[in-house]
Amino acid sequence: MAPENASANSPVSRNDASAAAQQPQEMRGVHALVKWESPADEVRGIAAGAAVLLRDHAVLPHHIGFSVPNRTWAVQLAQACKVMGVRACIAEAGEVPSGSAAVIFDFRAPKRNVEWLFVVGCTEGLMPTAAATGDDKASRAAQEEQRAAFARLVAGDRPHVVLSYFAQADVALADQIRLPYRRTITRDGVSLACLTPTHFISEMGAARPTTVGSQRFLRDAVLN
């Protein structure tokens, strides 16, 4: 099954800076990789993190961006944002959204200038996509294109970046969307595939972010 519902680079005012300074450490722009148990947990949790930023007036909605691996994740994240009271719109290919909503866009799209960026779905098999994992020339070219796109997302000039991935998924879902896994576990009678972060993250070397568990992320965001 699919996941369940659940000023860009401009100087901020003194009040805005003060509000941002009051955010817990993990929500103050430190690059982090958040590990979620499932796709549904990921989209709900990331939407909740964005809701905290808005609740505490640390950022305006249109200064928040969500990068996703595909259209399915965009739709599910938009639904989760709606539940959490976060105004968000999906940017179609080549479209420049306007208004006061957070923007959800494909990770391969041109760089968007947002104050806060959540890179969602950083799971091997989603980033890079299945079409970019073969040994043929087209697949290798696609992977290089996606590697460059990922590098733009995590560039050091971004003020706040949070990477996010899910470590488990129902085996049927993992097989359906071609997520690679080497082992499975059984929980409550359900067979789960054990997944890993995209290898793009390990290629970051010394810049690789610290992995943070979902509960710590939510706790530090004053969500539980």
Side-chain angles (χ1 to χ4, degrees), residues 29 31-33 67 105 107 111-112 117-120 122 127 146-164 198 200-205 207-209:
H31 285 52
L33 172 62
S67 170
F105 59 95
F107 82 102
K111 182 174 179 178
R112 294 183 179 276
L117 176 65
F118 295 91
V119 186
V120 184
C122 296
M127 293 183 187
Q146 293 179 28
R147 178 178 284 109
F150 183 82
R152 290 194 297 270
L153 292 174
V154 300
D157 59 338
R158 284 195 180 278
H160 308 281
V161 179
V162 174
L163 309 182
S164 172
T198 171
F200 291 160
I201 292 176
S202 62
E203 291 174 358
M204 295 172 67
R208 188 188 192 281

Side-chain angles (χ1 to χ4, degrees), residues 61-139:
H62 62 284
H63 291 167
I64 297 176
F66 304 95
S67 170
V68 294
N70 54 44
R71 177 73 181 186
T72 298
W73 255 250
V75 171
Q76 296 297 334
L77 185 55
Q79 292 171 343
C81 284
K82 183 177 181 180
V83 170
M84 293 302 302
V86 177
R87 294 182 58 193
C89 65
I90 300 174
E92 305 298 342
E95 179 185 13
V96 179
S98 59
S100 59
V103 60
I104 303 171
F105 59 95
D106 189 283
F107 82 102
R108 292 159 290 190
K111 182 174 179 178
R112 294 183 179 276
N113 293 321
V114 292
E115 186 73 15
W116 275 87
L117 176 65
F118 295 91
V119 186
V120 184
C122 296
T123 300
E124 190 71 21
L126 291 179
M127 293 183 187
T129 62
T133 56
D135 292 328
D136 58 287
K137 182 177 180 180
S139 294

